[in-house]
C-alpha cells in the first residue's frame, strides 16, 4: 500500500537487513527507494536492489562527501546510474548547517551531478539544509529537471516555489512532531505535490521520535496526512503512490 520514497538501509546502521525488509512486508510497505549517497552505500544499495524485488535506488554524492568525492567517483557514478532499478540521482545538494568553509566545493559537486541527471534524464533527490536560496538558484539553471525536495520542512512560500519548478515535497516524520509548522504547509500545498518518506534511520515519527527509524513506521506519516486532508488512508496511499510512480517512472 505504501512506498518509502527515501530511506537509508545499510550495514552501518542495521544489524539484520533481511529482517528489516521482511518486517516491511508485514507493515504494508510495497516498495522502498534506498538512497545510496556515499561511495560505499552506493555499492551496497545497488546490491540490495538486485537482491530484492521491492527495492529501488537513487544514488549520488551527499554534500557531506564533498571533500572526498573525486572526478573518478563521478565517472563511475555515471555508469552506476545506468544500472537496473536506479530511479534517480541523489541525495545531492547543499548543507550549510555545519559551516560554510566548503560552500564553493559543495556548489560545484551539486552542479556536476545535476548535469549528469540532466544528461541521463533522471529525476533528482535534493538535500537542502540551511541553504534554500542557493538551492533554488542552482536548480533554476536546470529547467528540464524534476525531482523530490527530500525531507522538506520549509515555509509555504518556499514550498510553492519548488512546486512551481516541477518538484515534489518529500514529507517524513517531522510532520508528526508536536509544534511542527509542516502540517499547515502540507495542507495548503495540495496532495498532488507530496510524496512520503522515512529518511530512516533518522527522523522517526511520533511516538518513536528519537529512536532508530525504519520504513515500517511510514504508515504513521501517511496517517497524519490522511488526518490533515480528512480522507481515508487507502485513498491517500493511492494518491501518494501515483505521485511517486509518476516522479520516479516506476511501474
Ligand atoms: Ni536521506
Amino acid at each position: 500500500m505504501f512506498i518509502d520514497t527515501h530511506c537509508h538501509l545499510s550495514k552501518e546502521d542495521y544489524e539484520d537487513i533481511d529482517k528489516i525488509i521482511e518486517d516491511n512486508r508485514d507493515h504494508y510497505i510495497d516498495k522502498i527507494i534506498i538512497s545510496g549517497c556515499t561511495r560505499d552505500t552506493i555499492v551496497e544499495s545497488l546490491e540490495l536492489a538486485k537482491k530484492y524485488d521491492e527495492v529501488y535506488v537513487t544514488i549520488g554524492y551527499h554534500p557531506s562527501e564533498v571533500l572526498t568525492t573525486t572526478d573518478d567517483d563521478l565517472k563511475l557514478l555515471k555508469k552506476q546510474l545506468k544500472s537496473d532499478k536506479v530511479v534517480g540521482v541523489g541525495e545531492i545538494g547543499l548543507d550549510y548547517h555545519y559551516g560554510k568553509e566548503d560552500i564553493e566545493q559543495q556548489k560545484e559537486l551539486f552542479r556536476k551531478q545535476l548535469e549528469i541527471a540532466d544528461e541521463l534524464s533522471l529525476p533528482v533527490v535534493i538535500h537542502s539544509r540551511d541553504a534554500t536560496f542557493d538551492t533554488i538558484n542552482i536548480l533554476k539553471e536546470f529547467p528540464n529537471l524534476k525531482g523530490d525536495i527530500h525531507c522538506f520542512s520549509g515555509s509555504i512560500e518556499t514550498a510553492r516555489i519548488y512546486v512551481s519548478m516541477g518538484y515534489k515535497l518529500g514529507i517524513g516524520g517531522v510532520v508528526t512532531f508536536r509544534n511542527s509548522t509542516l502540517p499547515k504547509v502540507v495542507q495548503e500545498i495540495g496532495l498532488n505535490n507530496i510524496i512520503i518518506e522515512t529518511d530512516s534511520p533518522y527522523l522517526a515519527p511520533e511516538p518513536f521520535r528519537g529512536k532508530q527509524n525504519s520504513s515500517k513506521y511510514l504508515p504513521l506519516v501517511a496517517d497524519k496526512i490522511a488526518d490533515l486532508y480528512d480522507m481515508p488512508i487507502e485513498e491517500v496511499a493511492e494518491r501518494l503512490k501515483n505521485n511517486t510512480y509518476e516522479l520516479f517512472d516506476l511501474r
Side-chain angles (χ1 to χ4, degrees):
M1 188 152 87
F2 303 107
I3 305 170
D4 189 353
T5 62
H6 185 105
C7 60
H8 304 275
L9 196 50
S10 159
K11 286 179 289 208
E12 282 172 18
D13 298 301
Y14 299 98
E15 251 172 59
D16 190 346
I17 289 182
D18 301 289
K19 169 103 174 37
I20 298 269
I21 290 181
E22 250 169 62
D23 260 12
N24 287 343
R25 294 176 186 150
D26 295 336
H27 289 81
Y28 306 98
I29 310 300
D30 297 335
K31 290 183 170 57
I32 62 173
I33 303 177
I34 300 176
S35 166
C37 52
T38 63
R39 204 174 288 140
D40 292 341
T41 56
I42 286 172
V43 173
E44 203 182 341
S45 61
L46 289 170
E47 280 167 9
L48 288 172
K50 263 192 210 157
K51 188 169 172 191
Y52 294 102
D53 271 357
E54 63 261 61
V55 172
Y56 293 76
V57 299
T58 65
I59 53 175
Y61 285 90
H62 193 281
S64 64
E65 304 304 294
V66 66
L67 297 178
T68 55
T69 305
T70 63
D71 281 339
D72 280 343
D73 288 325
L74 295 182
K75 234 188 250 169
L76 177 60
L77 175 67
K78 219 165 140 177
K79 276 193 203 143
Q80 290 165 321
L81 282 164
K82 292 172 186 159
S83 318
D84 218 21
K85 295 171 85 185
V86 173
V87 295
V89 180
E91 56 185 283
I92 58 174
L94 302 172
D95 194 325
Y96 299 167
H97 188 70
Y98 303 100
K100 296 189 177 182
E101 302 82 52
D102 54 11
I103 182 169
E104 287 313 315
Q105 290 104 307
Q106 283 196 36
K107 287 183 186 173
E108 192 188 338
L109 178 62
F110 188 28
R111 282 197 177 93
K112 279 182 179 168
Q113 295 184 96
L114 290 170
E115 270 164 31
I116 292 173
D118 213 4
E119 205 184 310
L120 301 178
S121 298
L122 282 168
V124 289
V125 176
I126 303 300
H127 172 103
S128 175
R129 194 172 184 199
D130 300 340
T132 304
F133 184 79
D134 284 354
T135 303
I136 289 173
N137 282 325
I138 291 178
L139 288 179
K140 279 186 177 162
E141 295 169 17
F142 299 86
N144 296 326
L145 286 178
K146 57 179 186 169
D148 161 27
I149 308 300
H150 142 63
C151 200
F152 181 82
S153 62
S155 67
I156 184 67
E157 290 78 17
T158 304
R160 288 204 178 104
I161 293 172
Y162 281 129
V163 164
S164 74
M165 291 164 64
Y167 287 81
K168 303 232 184 276
L169 310 180
I171 302 296
V174 175
V175 78
T176 69
F177 293 176
R178 242 174 309 237
N179 302 325
S180 169
T181 52
L182 194 56
K184 210 167 173 336
V185 175
V186 165
Q187 256 173 339
E188 280 182 41
I189 203 68
L191 205 47
N192 289 345
N193 300 311
I194 290 169
I195 57 178
I196 52 171
E197 62 171 53
T198 59
D199 200 22
S200 54
Y202 317 107
L203 292 169
E206 292 288 3
F208 302 104
R209 187 173 181 180
K211 302 217 165 74
Q212 186 179 57
N213 201 359
S214 157
S215 295
K216 70 177 177 188
Y217 296 144
L218 187 67
L220 294 165
V221 174
D223 220 22
K224 175 75 187 184
I225 294 176
D227 263 3
L228 292 170
Y229 278 88
D230 197 16
M231 264 185 191
I233 184 87
E234 294 79 8
E235 192 181 332
V236 167
E238 187 64 23
R239 296 270 302 268
L240 294 170
K241 182 174 135 183
N242 291 341
N243 296 347
T244 304
Y245 272 44
E246 186 199 317
L247 177 60
F248 292 108
D249 202 17
L250 294 173
R251 47 204 90 236

